[in-house]
């Protein structure tokens, strides 16, 4: 019986981890897109010119431990001035922002 309880607890824990991962996977593309928009970058142009860079941005975002902080930071009309401190993509996104061909034009 104890073995069954331990197995059940392990399955519940595994399900929780899986559900957490699924939630994070679902939120990741939206958060990256919102961060790119907040920085006035053209995600389509990045994908066209630097597809490997975009995949690396997506990979880092998927592995990020600061999902909730990112969500909160982006919720306030992109006024998140501290994002550089927790975002694993900060250096790469800031570098892309310095390149005029990745900047969004006036809307």
């Amino acid at each position: 019986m104890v073995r069954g309880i331990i197995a059940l607890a392990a399955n519940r824990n595994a399900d929780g981890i899986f559900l957490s991962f699924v939630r994070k996977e679902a939120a990741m593309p939206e958060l990256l897109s919102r961060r790119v928009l907040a920085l006035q970058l053209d995600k389509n142009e990045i994908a066209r010119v630097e597809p490997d860079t975009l995949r690396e941005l997506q990979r880092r975002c998927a592995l990020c431990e600061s999902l909730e902080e990112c969500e909160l930071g982006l919720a306030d009309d992109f006024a998140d001035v501290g994002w550089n401190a927790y975002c694993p993509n900060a250096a790469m996104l800031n570098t892309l922002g310095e390149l005029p061909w990745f900047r969004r034009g006036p809307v």
Side-chain angles (χ1 to χ4, degrees):
M1 182 66 167
V2 172
R3 184 176 272 165
I5 292 171
I6 292 170
L8 180 61
N11 286 337
R12 284 188 180 164
N13 188 29
D15 288 345
I17 291 169
F18 178 73
L19 291 175
S20 175
F21 178 76
V22 169
R23 180 179 161 267
K24 188 173 187 176
E25 258 321 283
M28 181 270 300
E30 178 192 348
L31 291 175
L32 180 58
S33 293
R34 290 173 59 201
R35 180 66 63 200
V36 166
L37 180 62
L39 297 171
Q40 298 179 344
L41 297 173
D42 187 335
K43 186 176 177 184
N44 293 329
E45 191 65 7
I46 295 168
R48 187 182 73 77
V49 176
E50 291 288 343
D52 292 339
T53 298
L54 182 60
R55 280 190 291 276
E56 179 62 15
L57 290 167
Q58 292 167 334
R59 185 189 72 77
R60 289 180 183 184
C61 194
L63 297 173
C64 182
E65 298 291 325
S66 302
L67 176 68
E68 289 81 14
E69 195 169 0
C70 188
E71 285 176 323
L72 288 172
L74 288 168
D76 189 21
D77 292 331
F78 308 124
D80 183 15
V81 294
W83 73 278
N84 284 287
Y86 63 79
C87 181
N89 283 322
M92 194 177 299
L93 288 170
N94 285 324
T95 299
L96 291 171
E98 295 296 319
L99 304 172
W101 51 90
F102 293 127
R103 305 281 300 161
R104 291 174 54 94
V107 179

